Amino acid sequence: MLRTAKTIAAKDLRIELRSRVIANQVIPFAALVMILFAFALDSDAVLERVAPGLVWLATIFSVLFIVARSFALETTDGALEALRAAGVDPMGIFLGKTLALATQLIALEAVLVGASVVLYRADVSASGGVLLVTTAILATVGLASVGTLYGGLAAGAKGRETLLPLLLLPVVAPVLIGATRATESAFGTNGIDVSEGWPWLGLLAVFAVLFSVVGAVAFGPLVDD
Amino acid sequence: MTDVPAELRSGRFDHVVDVRDVVVVLGAFPALAGASLTVDRGEIVLLSGPNGAGKTTLLRACAGLVPIERGRASVLGLDVSTERDAVRRHVGLIGHHNGLYSDLSVAENVRFWGSTVGASSAEIATAMQRMGLDGRLSDLPVARLSAGQRRRTALASLVARRASLWLLDEPHAGLDAEGRDELDSVLRAAAAAGATIMVASHELERAGSLATRHVRVVAGQVVPVSGGAA
C-alpha cells in the first residue's frame, strides 16, 4: 500500500512539475482572489479583521480546481479505471493522491499567507507562527483527504465540474470555521490571544482523521461503482 | 515476462480463462445470458458480434469489473468473483482508452505502470524494447504520439506489469494501416512469448487474420466460429 501511495504521489507531482498547471494557473487565481477582496473591501481595518477568513476561503476555492485537475489526469485517458482494473490497491491510490494534493495545498497556503501579510498587513508572532503552521498542516490533511474522496466520487459522474463544488463545499465548512478561528489567533486579529486558537485545532484534527480513515476505506468501492 | 506467475504454475487450473454459464445483468438488461468460454495459454481469441451482444461485458467480467450474477468465471485458476484483486493483478484490460498520462513521457508511463507491481528497470526496458518504444520515442511525451504509438505504449505497460491475460476491446480502432500492422505484429509476438489475448472487434478481416480462434458473442452467449469449441 505504501509503495503504491509513493508511486501515485510521485506520478502526480511529476505531472505538475511538467505541466505547471497549479503553479501557473491555480496559485495565481488564488492570489487574484485575495487582491480582488482587497479592492472590494478597500479598508485596512476591515481587511486586517477578515484576512484569516479570506486566506481559507481562497484556499477552499482553489481546492476545487486542484481536485478537479487531479482527477482529470486520471479520467482523460481512462487511467483511474485502468488502475482499478490492474488491481492496484485503492487505499494506496487514495493515500498517494491525498499526499500529492496536500503537497500542492501547502505551497498554495504559503503563498496566500504571504499575500495576506503583504496585502492585509497581517502580523504573525513566533508563537503565532507555530499555531499557524500546525493549523495549516491539519487543515491541509483534512482538505486533501475529503477532496480526494469526493474527487473520486465525482470522477465518473456526469456534470462532475459542477457536482464537485456542490458535494465538497458544505462538507469542508468545519475546516473553514476551525482554520479561520485558529488563524485569527495566530494573526492576533482583534487582539485575540494565540492561546485561544489552539482549541480549534481539535476540530481540524477530528476532521482530518475522520476523512483520512473514511476516505481510505471508502475510496475503492466508490471508484469501482 | 508474460509467463504465468510462479505461484499459479502448480496446475490448479486447466485453462487461463474458464467462463461457465455466466450471467451478468447490467441494470435490468442481461448483458451476458449463460456465456461459456475457455481460453488457453498463448491463444489469441477474437470475439465478434453485433453491438450490445456482450463482447465488452465478457472482457470486463474476466477482469472482475462487473458482478457475476450466476455461473462461474476463473482466470489462471483464480475465481473472478471471490479473488477479484488477485485476478486483476494478472489481467491487462485496454478498452477505448489507453490509461496513459499525456504529460508524462513514454518511458515514464511504462515505468509508472511497472512500478505498481515492483518491476525492475531491466523489465521495464525489455517491455519497451519489445514494443519498439526504445530509443528516440521513449522520451517523447505521450501527448505527442500517434494513436498507434499510444496503443503500443499501453501494451508495453501491460508487459511491464507482468499481465498474463490481455483483454483488448477494439484495439484497432483509430489506428491507420501502419499502426494496425504494428499492433498485429506486437500481439503475435506477445502471444508467442506466452501472453493469452482476447480481442473484441468488429473488424473481422483484420482481427480474424490475427486470431488463432474466432468466437461470436450473440445475445449474451458465446458461439464458436472457427478454431475449436467455445
Side-chain angles (χ1 to χ4, degrees):
Chain A
M1 182 186 71
L2 290 179
R3 185 185 69 193
T4 301
K6 192 176 147 196
T7 301
I8 297 280
K11 179 264 296 172
D12 276 11
L13 293 173
R14 184 173 296 118
I15 289 174
E16 169 53 21
L17 285 175
R18 203 64 52 77
S19 64
R20 298 195 172 275
V21 169
I22 309 297
N24 294 343
Q25 293 174 22
V26 179
I27 290 179
F29 160 79
L32 207 54
V33 168
M34 299 285 281
I35 292 167
L36 290 175
F37 273 131
F39 286 149
L41 298 174
D42 197 26
S43 157
D44 285 355
V46 175
L47 282 171
E48 209 174 319
R49 206 169 67 236
V50 300
L54 297 184
V55 166
W56 288 105
L57 210 49
T59 301
I60 285 170
F61 285 150
S62 304
V63 165
L64 297 173
F65 291 112
I66 299 175
V67 170
R69 163 72 179 161
S70 175
F71 280 91
L73 299 175
E74 305 296 346
T75 53
T76 304
D77 196 23
L80 186 59
E81 185 179 63
L83 283 168
R84 293 301 297 127
V88 177
D89 184 356
M91 212 175 271
I93 300 173
F94 174 82
L95 290 177
K97 293 202 76 69
T98 300
L99 185 61
L101 196 56
T103 306
Q104 293 163 353
L105 273 177
I106 287 286
L108 171 80
E109 287 158 11
V111 170
L112 291 181
V113 169
S116 69
V117 169
V118 173
L119 293 169
Y120 308 156
R121 295 179 187 169
D123 189 24
V124 189
S125 64
S127 58
V130 175
L131 174 62
L132 189 59
V133 168
T134 314
T135 302
I137 291 169
L138 289 174
T140 298
V141 172
L143 289 174
S145 301
V146 77
T148 304
L149 177 64
Y150 282 85
L153 177 65
K158 283 181 185 168
R160 54 181 167 259
E161 298 82 2
T162 43
L163 181 63
L164 183 63
L166 281 176
L167 291 173
L168 201 55
L169 289 177
V171 179
V172 298
V175 176
L176 179 66
I177 295 165
T180 300
R181 294 290 95 81
T183 306
E184 280 175 351
S185 300
F187 283 178
T189 307
N190 294 332
I192 300 172
D193 192 72
V194 169
S195 62
E196 292 180 47
W198 287 101
W200 288 101
L201 299 192
L203 175 66
L204 295 177
V206 167
F207 189 94
V209 170
L210 180 69
F211 276 97
S212 297
V213 172
V214 169
V217 173
F219 189 77
L222 279 178
V223 295
D224 263 355
D225 292 342
Chain B
M1 195 157 328
T2 49
D3 282 346
V4 173
E7 69 271 26
L8 299 171
R9 283 194 206 122
S10 56
R12 283 170 57 202
F13 58 94
D14 298 322
H15 307 285
V16 173
V17 175
D18 193 348
V19 173
R20 290 178 194 231
D21 303 319
V22 161
V23 174
V24 171
V25 179
L26 301 177
F29 174 71
L32 291 180
S36 295
L37 174 70
T38 58
V39 183
D40 292 325
R41 185 163 180 257
E43 274 198 290
I44 303 178
V45 174
L46 165 64
L47 310 176
S48 67
N51 286 335
K55 301 185 296 295
T56 300
T57 306
L58 181 54
L59 293 183
R60 292 173 66 82
C62 291
L65 288 170
V66 290
I68 292 171
E69 297 280 327
R70 285 201 302 278
R72 183 177 184 276
S74 66
V75 167
L76 298 162
L78 299 163
D79 190 284
V80 166
S81 297
T82 58
E83 299 170 283
R84 193 175 61 174
D85 285 343
V87 167
R88 287 178 176 183
R89 279 194 283 275
H90 302 296
V91 169
L93 173 69
I94 298 179
H96 302 293
H97 298 292
N98 292 307
L100 301 175
Y101 298 98
S102 60
D103 291 308
L104 297 182
S105 69
V106 169
E108 286 168 333
N109 269 282
V110 178
R111 203 175 299 129
F112 167 74
W113 284 105
S115 64
T116 61
V117 294
S120 66
S121 302
E123 282 179 283
I124 288 159
T126 307
M128 291 181 57
Q129 195 181 16
R130 277 180 53 184
M131 296 299 152
L133 294 168
D134 46 348
R136 190 184 61 85
L137 269 181
S138 67
D139 293 327
L140 279 183
V142 163
R144 288 176 53 192
L145 300 183
S146 68
Q149 289 166 336
R150 286 180 199 212
R151 195 55 53 89
R152 278 195 283 144
T153 306
L155 293 173
S157 301
L158 294 193
V159 176
R161 67 173 195 79
R162 306 167 187 150
S164 306
L165 173 64
W166 297 12
L167 306 171
L168 311 178
D169 196 0
E170 299 290 355
H172 297 98
L175 303 187
D176 58 19
E178 194 184 343
R180 289 164 180 230
D181 289 343
E182 277 178 5
L183 177 66
D184 286 356
S185 64
V186 157
L187 294 180
R188 282 193 188 96
T196 305
I197 302 174
M198 292 168 68
V199 178
S201 180
H202 286 294
E203 302 191 39
L204 298 188
E205 198 173 329
R206 164 67 64 174
S209 66
L210 170 71
T212 54
R213 187 151 58 101
H214 179 186
V215 298
R216 260 178 81 74
V217 182
V218 183
Q221 296 194 325
V222 181
V223 181
V225 175
S226 69

